Amino acid sequence: MAEPQTTTKLPHDVHPEHHLTSSAMLQDVVIGLSDGLTVPFALAAGLTGAVSSSSLVITAGLAEIVAGSIAMGLGGYLAGRTEVEHYASELAREHREVQEVPDVERAEVEELLADMGLSEATRRQAVAELTADPEQWVKFMMKYELGLEEPDPKQAPKSAVTISAAYAVGGLIPLSAYFFTATPQQGLGWSAAITLLCLLIFGYFKSRLTGQPPVAGALKMAVVGALAATAAFGIARLVGGA
């Protein structure tokens, strides 16, 4: 008679874990799209309070989207390059310290391992093994002492394109209403409805992806966009004397 087979459940079978794997592209899309939805919307609302022609709002809005997407893309590129240069500078410094003051660096390794809760005997063995290879030694110090991960040198141009494109897409959403309405006031009404709906949707999914309360995130995005547009509209009406 065959014995019944038993299946051993691994820990992840009993308690599956779900973690967000954040990507640089997702972060860039969020940056570009959130600014693209709010800034051109506020500009169009402000112009609506000062001009009587939808064509002027469209012209100024398109100019702002072009300028804003270029500026945002350039900012993303420079941020990416700065991260690469900062990592390279810190890496060179750690290599020098390992060569010039190895005793000090060994003491820092042991201190880091002590903070992790390793026993004295384990720390001594780990320090000896880590410091035997200068490359691994430096990598350990970069990650656990400085908290730095090696950045992708190709990420800077990717970020520039992604942020710029996301900003342009986001900016065209509030401006699109002015193409199909006779007056700026009508355009503002439709623009506000469309943009606030998009901000709610975007804020909801952004918050879900980042592990935040989705409803609160959606409302926060919508409130920020509404306040920016209201302020711009009010200032334009005040300055224009309407």
Side-chain angles (χ1 to χ4, degrees):
M1 181 177 178
E3 295 182 359
Q5 296 182 348
T6 59
T7 302
T8 303
K9 289 186 178 181
L10 297 176
H12 65 267
D13 295 325
V14 178
H15 178 62
E17 296 185 1
H18 303 282
H19 298 283
L20 170 66
T21 303
S22 178
S23 68
M25 177 174 289
L26 176 61
Q27 295 173 7
D28 293 338
V29 168
V30 168
I31 292 171
L33 196 57
S34 59
D35 281 4
L37 282 169
T38 53
V39 177
F41 177 42
L43 173 67
L47 289 173
T48 301
V51 302
S52 58
S53 172
S54 292
S55 62
L56 292 177
V57 177
I58 293 171
T59 300
L62 290 174
E64 196 286 327
I65 290 173
V66 172
S69 62
I70 292 173
M72 292 289 292
L74 181 59
Y77 177 82
L78 292 176
R81 289 304 308 166
T82 299
E83 186 179 0
V84 170
E85 292 167 0
H86 174 64
Y87 184 89
S89 174
E90 291 296 327
L91 183 65
R93 185 177 65 82
E94 283 296 332
H95 275 291
R96 287 196 306 270
E97 291 180 351
V98 164
Q99 293 176 354
E100 297 172 1
V101 286
D103 293 339
V104 174
E105 293 296 295
R106 285 191 183 91
E108 290 180 353
V109 171
E110 185 169 0
E111 183 179 351
L112 288 169
L113 295 175
D115 291 339
M116 296 177 187
L118 274 66
S119 65
E120 184 177 353
T122 304
R123 290 200 305 269
R124 289 177 181 175
Q125 182 179 358
V127 169
E129 293 181 2
L130 278 171
T131 58
D133 184 349
E135 290 297 324
Q136 294 301 321
W137 187 356
V138 169
K139 286 182 180 180
F140 179 85
M141 299 303 288
M142 291 293 290
K143 183 173 183 179
Y144 294 101
E145 181 191 23
L146 303 179
L148 296 177
E149 296 283 352
E150 184 175 4
D152 181 3
K154 298 179 181 179
Q155 185 57 42
K158 293 179 183 177
S159 291
V161 173
T162 303
I163 293 175
S164 181
Y167 185 92
V169 170
L172 287 173
I173 291 174
L175 194 62
S176 61
Y178 291 88
F179 286 91
F180 306 104
T181 52
T183 66
Q185 288 71 28
Q186 293 176 348
L188 177 60
W190 283 103
S191 178
I194 294 170
T195 304
L196 292 177
L197 177 62
C198 289
L199 286 171
L200 285 169
I201 296 172
F202 174 66
Y204 181 86
F205 284 105
K206 173 191 170 184
S207 298
R208 286 198 63 180
L209 288 172
T210 56
Q212 304 299 316
V215 175
L219 293 175
K220 186 185 299 183
M221 287 290 297
V223 168
V224 169
L227 288 176
T230 301
F233 182 83
I235 291 172
R237 290 294 297 269
L238 182 64
V239 173

